[in-house]
Amino acid sequence: MFLLGIVQLAIFFITSSGSGSLIIETITSGARTTALPKRVFWCISEGLVAIGLLLGSGPKPTIRQLPRS
């Protein structure tokens, strides 16, 4: 069940990123016919920004490290 949840989450993020790249590419091209190389560029750019944000956020505390009130 855990693996199924991970697969569904991955599919969600991949399809969302693809749709976002299509929209960004359409906006930057002036709503003309889109070209695949530009869309690939935007996909890679979005991915690198996401990786940078994830790595730049630093380590997250585990549930045991959180203060108890």
Side-chain angles (χ1 to χ4, degrees):
M1 201 62 155
F2 176 75
L3 184 60
L4 179 63
I6 296 296
V7 169
Q8 288 177 335
L9 192 62
I11 290 171
F12 170 75
F13 282 118
I14 290 168
T15 56
S16 296
S17 177
S19 299
S21 297
L22 177 63
I23 297 299
I24 291 172
E25 202 280 319
T26 302
I27 291 170
T28 59
S29 69
R32 285 176 266 141
T33 305
T34 60
L36 184 61
K38 285 184 180 179
R39 197 175 317 159
V40 170
F41 166 77
W42 285 114
C43 285
I44 292 171
S45 298
E46 286 179 13
L48 291 175
V49 168
I51 289 170
L53 289 172
L54 286 172
L55 293 177
S57 66
K60 302 286 185 230
T62 62
I63 195 73
R64 293 182 182 168
Q65 295 172 333
L66 294 175
R68 295 182 184 195
S69 51

